[in-house]
Amino acid sequence: MVGSDELVSGSGSRLRLMAVHAHPDDESSKGAATMARYVAEGAEVMVVTCTGGEAGSILNPAMDRPDVLANMSAIRREEMAKAAQILGVQHRWLGFVDSGLPEGDPLPPLPEGCFALTPLEEPVRELVKIMREFRPHVVLTYDENGGYPHPDHIRCHEVSVAAFDAAAEPDKFPEGGEPWQPLKLYYIHGFSRARMEAFHEALVSAGMESPYAEWLGKWDPDRADVMERVTTRVECADYFEVRDEALKAHATQIDPDSRWFFVPLEMQRRVWPTEEYELVRSLVDSTLPEDDLFAGIREKVNT
């Protein structure tokens, strides 16, 4: 493995962040305000989307039309391009086919040739190539549960972790470019009970209806909150509006009247002004808890 100091010293003057996601729209619902903040501060940010989202259901009634269904793949690519432009990020497709979310008891088999059934080495090879080209200092991906147990999210986690480890190894995928070792790997988790409770209480105190009462009522009290694993809270409230605009760009997936937008932005900024991550791998020194994904890296890069 090439040493981390050697890699950083030859990396140029800009900080670089890569977020690896399963489907188009995931990047806008998970960490989008963080990415928008770092772009505004001058960092280079790239989103890698593992699948085309071809199997996604239409979740916005206004888009549930025959012409949309007939062109789902092309429309989702257009939506992703628009969201990337709003966030100011670079974007790459990894090139695999959406596995869909199996439902039923027993669960039906996944479709042949889908991302979740593709041998791990294939998507790892493709992601390593992109990592060596873009040379991120920080990589974001899902936790081992995928944030929620969608087969593509779990495979995205597996691919990201494997590529993080392989990118600096000269004997791994030598056709994929010069070795490069990202310095920090973070997990994005699923829904937090603490965050949901904070918004619920703020809405009720303001005399507003809360969409979270039913969720909280069904929450298993023995289920640990993901906040227990969080090491890093990034202040990004100034970019919540950008995040919401990127979400709305995914018009087939996001209903503008849905609970995503129920809590007023002013209340969000006041009650919960951060996005949260878990640091799971680091080749640099930083003190936990952190408020910056580039903590321990800024000192090594001439910014």
Side-chain angles (χ1 to χ4, degrees):
M1 180 189 297
V2 180
S4 61
D5 286 343
E6 181 182 345
L7 284 167
V8 172
S9 65
S11 68
S13 61
R14 296 183 69 182
L15 296 165
R16 290 185 296 278
L17 169 69
M18 174 181 285
V20 187
H21 287 283
H23 311 105
D25 77 70
D26 288 328
E27 84 296 328
S28 296
S29 61
K30 303 168 185 67
T34 298
M35 293 191 293
R37 170 192 156 172
Y38 284 128
V39 168
E41 293 177 353
E44 292 186 69
V45 179
M46 176 179 283
V47 170
V48 178
T49 308
C50 294
T51 80
E54 302 90 347
S57 302
I58 294 181
L59 303 178
N60 180 359
M63 296 293 287
D64 193 1
R65 310 190 308 260
D67 60 312
V68 174
L69 285 166
N71 296 284
M72 179 68 86
S73 180
I75 288 172
R76 297 213 69 184
R77 295 182 81 86
E78 292 170 3
E79 291 174 344
M80 183 65 239
K82 184 176 179 181
Q85 182 179 31
I86 291 168
L87 293 172
V89 302
Q90 300 176 47
H91 179 253
R92 297 283 293 273
W93 297 99
L94 206 60
F96 294 89
V97 176
D98 190 345
S99 306
L101 182 60
E103 295 180 296
D105 186 13
L107 292 174
L110 294 173
E112 185 177 350
C114 71
F115 178 51
L117 295 181
T118 301
L120 186 62
E121 183 174 321
E122 295 181 28
V124 171
R125 177 187 297 110
E126 297 306 311
L127 185 55
V128 165
K129 289 179 183 177
I130 299 172
M131 282 186 176
R132 289 174 177 172
E133 175 187 334
F134 181 65
R135 302 187 300 171
H137 300 106
V138 173
V139 175
L140 306 180
T141 192
Y142 312 134
D143 64 22
E144 66 282 359
N145 298 310
Y148 78 106
H150 189 298
D152 285 338
H153 283 238
I154 294 171
R155 178 44 61 100
C156 178
H157 158 81
E158 295 167 345
V159 170
S160 303
V161 173
F164 183 95
D165 291 337
E169 299 293 343
D171 60 339
K172 296 286 184 67
F173 313 112
E175 74 285 358
E178 292 297 315
W180 174 259
Q181 177 63 71
L183 300 178
K184 298 174 84 174
L185 175 67
Y186 288 91
Y187 288 166
I188 306 169
H189 293 293
F191 292 106
S192 161
R193 178 180 180 127
R195 182 176 183 274
M196 205 176 295
E197 286 178 332
F199 286 140
H200 173 74
E201 292 169 5
L203 289 165
V204 172
S205 296
M208 301 172 65
E209 182 182 356
S210 169
Y212 303 112
E214 183 178 355
W215 281 6
L216 291 169
K218 294 180 178 179
W219 199 283
D220 181 354
D222 296 326
R223 176 182 168 189
D225 194 334
V226 296
M227 289 302 296
E228 296 177 15
R229 294 176 55 171
V230 164
T231 62
T232 310
R233 301 188 69 167
V234 177
E235 188 95 21
C236 51
D238 290 345
Y239 301 93
F240 285 173
E241 189 170 3
V242 179
R243 171 205 63 195
D244 286 359
E245 289 306 306
L247 263 173
K248 291 174 184 176
H250 293 284
T252 56
Q253 303 297 298
I254 304 296
D255 181 349
D257 297 322
S258 69
R259 71 179 70 206
W260 282 111
F261 310 107
F262 198 88
V263 182
L265 282 174
E266 179 281 326
M267 183 180 288
Q268 292 185 47
R269 294 182 179 116
R270 172 172 50 84
V271 173
W272 201 281
T274 61
E275 291 178 336
E276 294 77 41
Y277 306 90
E278 178 187 4
L279 178 63
V280 290
R281 305 273 183 88
S282 182
L283 281 75
V284 298
D285 294 327
S286 61
T287 302
L288 301 181
E290 303 171 318
D291 61 4
D292 180 12
L293 299 179
F294 292 107
I297 297 174
R298 292 183 187 276
E299 300 85 348
K300 295 177 175 290
V301 177
N302 181 21
T303 57

